[in-house]
Each structure stands twice: as structure tokens, then as C-alpha cells.
Amino acid sequence: LLDILKLEVENPRVFDLTVSPEMGGSIRFRELKPNEPPKIQEVIFEVKSNIAKQYQVTQNATSLLTSKEGKVIPKEYFTLRQESLDTKGTLKCPDKIEVKEGQMVLFISDAQGSPDKFKVIYELTVPRDIHYGDYYTNFTYSVSEI
């Protein structure tokens, strides 16, 4: 005699983007002055997904790097490039490119929408004619199905 067990499995949908270090949505370069060596900030992105659909990761910059006084660092001085962390999908910026104001696609997953991880390296080459101060911009990062 066999007992039949009715089993129901719930598999909640997972579609999360983790950014570390947690920057509160902004990148800051403090106390910049002329003739300093380049400044670098690294950010790791990890997407957890079980939806089995292709997705992309985007960044939206609200402005170029700007000081409290309203001084703006020209965009050619602020770049990003990406490095693989056993990445399965496609890095859109493996070579250094200027960080643009507005939206930029950083990454597209493999066709299966596999969980993935990658690194973005932001680099500021300090202009020779920079006005001393703190410079920042705000970023919004998002993950969306495509």
C-alpha cells in the first residue's frame, strides 16, 4: 500500500541586481586638485535571476561630474571600462569609453538569462585646470528584461 503525497513547490520569481560597494547611487571624488594621478572607483554588479529570459543592465547618469559650485569636469576625463568576473553575458564596454550623461547599456545577459556578475571600473583623469573641490554625479542602475 502506497500513500500518495500531494506536494506543491513554490518557486518565487527572482530578478535582482546587487551593486557593491553600496554607493547610495552616487560616485564622488573628494578634494580634487590639479596634477593628481588618476582616481579609480570599482563597482561590482551581480544579477540573480531565475526567470529564464534575456535581460540587460543599464546605468543612468543624472549629470557629468560636478562640484557644489557648479564646475563641471568635461566628459572626456571620466571613463569606464568593464572586466569579466566569469561573466557569461556580453560586456558592452570592455574598452575604456566616456561616461555619458543619461542612459548607457552596460551589459546584456546570455540568451538563457543566466545569473551573472561583472565589474565596472570608473576612472577620472584629473584635468590640469581643475578647480579644487569635491565632484560627484548620481547614477541609477537598473536591470530589465529584453
Side-chain angles (χ1 to χ4, degrees):
L1 187 68
L2 287 173
D3 279 342
I4 296 178
L5 208 58
K6 196 171 179 185
L7 185 63
E8 207 175 289
V9 176
E10 254 187 61
N11 189 10
R13 179 181 153 103
V14 176
F15 195 46
D16 290 325
L17 173 64
T18 305
V19 179
S20 55
E22 178 51 57
M23 311 164 327
S26 68
I27 287 202
R28 295 182 183 282
F29 295 97
R30 300 187 185 282
E31 300 178 2
L32 294 179
K33 48 189 175 289
N35 300 319
E36 283 191 297
K39 304 285 186 186
I40 293 176
Q41 288 193 22
E42 295 184 353
V43 180
I44 294 173
F45 293 79
E46 185 170 5
V47 179
K48 293 181 172 82
S49 175
N50 68 358
I51 63 171
K53 291 185 179 163
Q54 193 170 34
Y55 60 86
Q56 67 182 17
V57 175
T58 56
Q59 114 182 342
N60 190 8
T62 57
S63 67
L64 297 175
L65 285 170
T66 308
S67 70
K68 285 185 214 110
E69 298 76 34
K71 304 283 185 201
V72 176
I73 294 178
K75 65 181 178 185
E76 60 268 19
Y77 292 100
F78 188 38
T79 61
L80 71 79
R81 67 181 175 84
Q82 296 169 301
E83 283 182 3
S84 170
L85 298 173
D86 289 328
T87 306
K88 298 170 212 58
T90 305
L91 299 173
K92 299 303 284 180
C93 314
D95 299 316
K96 214 184 262 199
I97 65 162
E98 293 173 2
V99 174
K100 296 181 186 74
E101 197 171 351
Q103 195 164 344
M104 291 176 71
V105 175
L106 298 176
F107 172 81
I108 295 180
S109 75
D110 61 12
Q112 296 76 38
S114 302
D116 226 328
K117 192 174 187 178
F118 62 94
K119 182 192 295 188
V120 174
I121 299 146
Y122 294 97
E123 183 175 338
L124 172 65
T125 303
V126 182
R128 278 201 298 260
D129 60 350
I130 194 166
H131 293 270
Y132 174 84
D134 298 346
Y135 289 79
Y136 65 94
T137 186
N138 290 315
F139 285 119
T140 306
Y141 299 108
S142 59
V143 60
S144 55
E145 292 177 29
I146 51 175

